[in-house]
Amino acid sequence: MKRNHSNIKKAKKYLDNNNCIAVPTETVYGLAANAYSKKATSKIFKLKKRPKKNPLIVHYCNLNMLKKDCELNNDFFKLYEKLCPGPITFVLKLKKDSKICKNVTNNKKTLAVRFPNHPITKKLLTIINYPLAAPSANISTKISPVSKEDVIDEFGKKIKFILDGGRSHVGLESTIINLIGRPKVLRLGGIEISKINKILRTNLKFNNNLKKIISPGQGKIHYSPGIPIRLNVKKSKIDEAFILIQKRKKSAKNFYYLSKNKNLKEAAKNLYKTLRMIRKKKFKSISVEKIPNKGFGQAINDRLIRASKF
Ligand code: AMP
Ligand code: MG
């Protein structure tokens, strides 16, 4: 506990000095910098090799801070009350007098915001007086990190400081919902759409048409382990890693279980960890058994389809 406290103070120092550092969240680790500082946030783009046109998600600790930057509406309040802090990102109207710097939004009049649910990063957000722009702490298009070791794996010595918060317990990015006008789901993630529909009394669906990308930065290729991926496979080849979600009678060296009993939440948590593990082995390709396209399974399939377009 004492060690966490001194590390949080260290993190604040780096951030106050316009550096970008890695921070833990419940979804994945983020590459964080002061969202009001051009100098700090431009370091995120450089380190991640992120195209300038991809806007960043900004992390807040309370509504008072958020009110300075965004126009809030009824749908937002309903979802905020039930789901925050948690793995959901809202796209809102940016206020004219907001101090969010222009490279965070790519000059847009909208802002993606989130309230992360991780005790260490929550604490950090309460002791700084600016929100944190923080995309996932991986090189653009590569696998997202869910632990300190994963961040080291991505950036090595290029990153100044990593705030360690253990393994991310959701293990998948946030669900993104656009709340300007009629709500629209832009990315599947840590909150199931059915939960959002219940709260808003709507029937939102996710348009999984990868030909038509709606959210900037939600490119076709992403989360890539760098080798081909085949989906909906019943039987793998010998030199392939085989990703499974339920226990098979016979075991084999190339089997990688996301879950042993089709638990899709557990499978989502293990997805990036498993892809990263496989990438380090000498497999020529990856095959994946059919994953039901419902609940978290939909988010897993979305990631796997993008990862397979490497
Ligand atoms: P990540 O890099 O994993 O944190 O993902 C951030 C994603 O948030 C981006 O790739 C965009 O798809 C989405 N995003 C950020 N800002 C906006 C915005 N203003 N409107 C729509 N989507 C956004
Ligand atoms: Mg990302």
Side-chain angles (χ1 to χ4, degrees):
M1 207 51 218
K2 217 169 163 191
R3 193 153 153 247
N4 279 346
H5 188 70
S6 74
N7 279 340
I8 292 169
K9 273 173 59 187
K10 226 188 229 175
K12 172 178 162 33
K13 221 170 179 181
Y14 277 107
L15 292 168
D16 285 350
N17 286 320
N18 281 326
N19 288 299
C20 76
I21 61 167
V23 298
T25 86
E26 80 279 29
T27 57
V28 301
Y29 272 62
L31 195 57
N34 177 354
Y36 295 153
S37 157
K38 188 178 174 203
K39 188 175 172 196
T41 50
S42 61
K43 289 180 183 169
I44 295 179
F45 288 91
K46 204 171 160 208
L47 194 55
K48 255 185 89 74
K49 299 191 182 125
R50 183 176 176 105
K52 296 240 160 51
K53 65 179 194 325
N54 291 5
L56 308 176
I57 295 175
V58 178
H59 295 61
Y60 289 85
C61 65
N62 64 47
L63 283 182
N64 284 339
M65 281 288 277
L66 179 64
K67 277 180 193 158
K68 292 181 191 169
D69 295 322
C70 290
E71 314 263 357
L72 309 182
N73 58 35
N74 276 343
D75 286 337
F76 167 79
F77 284 115
K78 282 184 205 161
L79 293 169
Y80 173 83
E81 194 193 322
K82 295 270 194 276
L83 303 174
C84 293
I88 182 161
T89 295
F90 310 101
V91 175
L92 298 167
K93 248 192 207 156
L94 190 66
K95 278 192 174 164
K96 282 208 177 88
D97 57 352
S98 159
K99 287 195 291 184
I100 294 289
C101 64
K102 293 194 164 44
N103 57 341
V104 167
T105 56
N106 184 29
N107 264 316
K108 281 181 185 303
K109 294 185 171 59
T110 61
L111 185 67
V113 303
R114 182 165 115 71
F115 295 82
N117 191 14
H118 189 292
I120 289 179
T121 294
K122 271 198 323 205
K123 178 75 199 164
L124 174 65
L125 283 165
T126 61
I127 63 164
I128 53 179
N129 55 3
Y130 43 83
L132 287 177
S136 49
N138 54 295
I139 306 282
S140 240
T141 79
K142 298 288 187 275
I143 306 167
S144 302
V146 293
S147 67
K148 181 183 176 176
E149 292 70 36
D150 294 353
V151 180
I152 296 171
D153 197 30
E154 287 292 311
F155 298 117
K157 291 210 170 87
K158 285 191 188 142
I159 187 148
K160 288 220 156 103
F161 185 70
I162 306 171
L163 190 54
D164 192 359
R167 171 123 175 238
S168 298
H169 76 262
V170 175
L172 202 68
E173 289 84 354
S174 58
T175 299
I176 304 181
I177 179 162
N178 185 346
L179 292 180
I180 301 168
R182 264 235 201 110
K184 212 191 248 167
V185 179
L186 302 183
R187 175 173 77 185
L188 298 169
I191 295 278
E192 292 159 289
I193 299 182
S194 57
K195 237 180 181 173
I196 295 171
N197 280 332
K198 222 172 178 180
I199 297 166
L200 295 183
R201 298 179 189 212
T202 46
N203 189 19
L204 306 177
K205 290 197 169 64
F206 179 64
N207 179 359
N208 214 350
N209 181 359
L210 286 174
K211 281 187 195 132
K212 205 173 133 213
I213 300 294
I214 343 156
S215 189
Q218 286 300 97
K220 283 185 209 167
I221 309 164
H222 213 141
Y223 320 108
S224 171
I227 50 175
I229 302 184
R230 303 190 300 129
L231 304 174
N232 303 324
V233 173
K234 285 194 178 132
K235 207 171 161 217
S236 72
K237 298 173 192 160
I238 346 166
D239 56 353
E240 265 183 335
F242 196 17
I243 294 183
L244 298 156
I245 54 160
Q246 63 183 325
K247 187 127 182 62
R248 298 238 163 163
K249 276 186 196 131
K250 278 190 191 158
S251 63
K253 261 197 184 150
N254 64 336
F255 284 8
Y256 289 85
Y257 286 104
L258 298 182
S259 166
K260 288 198 171 161
N261 55 2
K262 265 196 172 175
N263 178 332
L264 296 175
K265 194 172 181 180
E266 179 190 29
K269 178 181 172 172
N270 290 326
L271 179 68
Y272 291 145
K273 197 91 224 164
T274 306
L275 286 176
R276 195 175 284 276
M277 209 147 68
I278 292 171
R279 199 199 59 191
K280 289 184 181 162
K281 303 271 160 80
K282 297 253 170 325
F283 292 108
K284 294 269 182 331
S285 60
I286 301 172
S287 55
V288 187
E289 87 171 324
K290 191 176 168 76
I291 294 172
N293 207 33
K294 58 172 197 218
F296 289 106
Q298 232 191 324
I300 298 172
N301 283 328
D302 171 74
R303 301 302 190 273
L304 285 171
I305 290 167
R306 289 174 208 273
S308 67
K309 295 187 188 299
F310 95 109

